[in-house]
């Protein structure tokens, strides 16, 4: 008899805890909703936003939700990933995304960006430069673009910078005070509470077309081991589902969860 697959055994439409991305649709806790509103209000006033959190707490998911709620008539998001971005790469990618002229020479490239942003400001929505993994971008590169944007009043673009805890510490250094002082909205994503972890798990199963198969008595152990990280919670429950398939159990029991925890 053919061995059951996870999908056929549990009957989900898609895996509730995919390994490389968060469950869809994205889970929205009350604190996350409040942080999104804080960021939206700041951007509506043409301010810059800083988002920080340890790895695994959902910075990228936060950015996706935020971008999805920006009114395209007023704000034009440009999403960039910080890996490998210096000043020239930042200016070039930003110019390409906005359809602006650029140059291979640093000085000319910055001038073209400034002129292009002024043209856009006359007729279009405000560019919002959303940089994920911003800790990988040299602070002087970000600040140079900020200075270009703030040559005019009101500013010609806003930043949303999302980075890890090291980025927050880097910004606190005296040399980086000019940029840090302009980050008017500061959002720190916190780990889930045990209640939020429980709601996240319920949401993930429901989004996959399943009933919640996690034993209620196991949620405390899952939360304690994950530290309230949605990424770690998903990894634990993905391992537990594989264990459950091996045991032909349609419930993630305390025993199965403990086995999954020991696989870390």
């Amino acid at each position: 008899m053919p061995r059951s697959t996870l999908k056929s055994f549990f009957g989900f439409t898609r895996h509730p805890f995919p390994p490389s991305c968060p469950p869809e649709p994205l889970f929205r806790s009350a604190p996350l909703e409040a942080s999104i509103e804080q960021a939206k209000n700041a951007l509506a006033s043409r301010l810059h936003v800083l988002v920080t959190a340890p790895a695994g707490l959902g910075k990228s998911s936060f950015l996706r939700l935020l971008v999805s709620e920006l009114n395209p008539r007023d704000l034009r998001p440009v999403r960039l990933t910080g890996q490998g971005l210096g000043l020239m790469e930042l200016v070039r990618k930003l110019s390409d995304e906005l359809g602006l002229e650029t140059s291979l020479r640093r000085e000319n490239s910055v001038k073209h960006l400034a002129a292009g942003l002024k043209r856009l400001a006359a007729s279009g929505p405000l560019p919002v430069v959303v940089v994920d993994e911003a800790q990988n971008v040299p602070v002087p590169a970000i600040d140079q673009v900020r200075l270009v944007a703030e040559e005019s009043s009101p500013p010609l673009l806003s930043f949303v910078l999302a980075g890890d805890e090291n980025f927050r510490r880097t910004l606190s250094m005296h040399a980086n005070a000019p940029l840090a002082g302009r980050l008017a909205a500061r959002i720190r994503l916190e780990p889930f509470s045990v209640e939020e972890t429980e709601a996240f798990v319920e949401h993930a199963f429901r989004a996959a077309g399943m009933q919640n198969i996690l034993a209620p008595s196991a949620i405390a152990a899952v939360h304690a081991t994950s530290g309230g990280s949605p990424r770690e919670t998903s990894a634990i429950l993905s391992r537990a589902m594989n264990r459950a398939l091996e045991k032909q159990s349609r419930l993630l029991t305390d025993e199965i969860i403990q086995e999954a925890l020991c696989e870390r």
Side-chain angles (χ1 to χ4, degrees):
M1 184 174 178
R3 181 180 175 83
S4 297
T5 64
L6 276 171
K7 184 173 183 179
S8 63
F9 184 73
F10 289 110
F12 53 69
T13 55
R14 56 188 175 193
H15 200 301
F17 305 103
S20 59
C21 58
E24 294 282 356
L26 297 172
F27 176 66
R28 306 173 73 111
S29 65
L32 186 69
E33 293 279 15
S35 294
I36 290 172
E37 285 303 311
Q38 181 184 357
K40 286 165 59 179
N41 290 336
L43 294 174
S45 298
R46 295 179 174 246
L47 301 175
H48 304 300
V49 178
L50 173 66
V51 183
T52 58
L57 290 193
K59 292 186 297 296
S60 297
S61 296
F62 173 88
L63 296 180
R64 286 173 57 193
L65 288 170
L66 174 62
V67 166
S68 72
E69 294 197 7
L70 299 182
N71 188 334
R73 291 176 298 179
D74 302 320
L75 302 169
R76 179 180 178 180
V78 177
R79 293 201 61 179
L80 303 175
T81 300
Q83 191 66 43
L85 284 185
L87 176 60
M88 283 297 293
E89 292 79 10
L90 176 59
V91 170
R92 189 175 300 119
K93 286 194 174 185
L94 179 55
S95 298
D96 287 346
E97 290 289 335
L98 294 173
L100 304 177
E101 183 182 356
T102 188
S103 170
L104 295 177
R105 297 183 61 182
R106 173 172 170 166
E107 183 178 348
N108 289 342
S109 182
V110 172
K111 287 181 178 178
H112 286 317
L113 176 63
L117 289 174
K118 289 174 182 176
R119 288 195 299 273
L120 289 178
S123 59
L126 176 75
V128 176
V129 185
V130 181
V131 185
D132 200 0
E133 305 297 342
Q135 70 273 6
N136 295 318
V137 185
V139 170
I142 299 172
D143 205 37
Q144 179 68 58
V145 175
R146 177 192 67 83
L147 289 170
V148 167
E150 294 180 359
E151 288 176 357
S152 298
S153 182
L156 302 174
L157 61 75
S158 288
F159 272 113
V160 178
L161 304 175
D164 59 15
E165 294 294 272
N166 286 332
F167 186 54
R168 181 172 58 83
R169 287 190 285 270
T170 297
L171 288 170
S172 70
M173 297 170 62
H174 178 72
N176 298 325
L179 175 61
R182 305 299 291 177
L183 299 171
R186 292 170 175 258
I187 295 167
R188 189 177 189 276
L189 302 182
E190 300 290 345
F192 285 160
S193 66
V194 65
E195 293 81 11
E196 288 164 350
T197 296
E198 187 173 16
F200 170 76
V201 172
E202 176 73 32
H203 165 85
F205 280 124
R206 187 172 59 250
M210 296 177 61
Q211 297 293 318
N212 186 348
I213 61 171
L214 177 64
S217 54
I219 192 66
V222 171
H223 177 262
T225 304
S226 70
S229 162
R231 182 185 298 172
E232 286 299 317
T233 299
S234 293
I236 291 167
L237 294 182
S238 180
R239 295 196 301 269
M241 290 182 71
N242 288 325
R243 284 276 182 173
L245 176 61
E246 292 173 6
K247 295 174 178 289
Q248 296 291 286
S249 171
R250 286 187 167 81
L251 181 67
L252 303 184
T253 63
D254 291 88
E255 177 187 1
I256 289 172
I257 290 298
Q258 286 302 320
E259 292 176 1
L261 297 181
C262 290
E263 290 182 32
R264 294 185 75 208

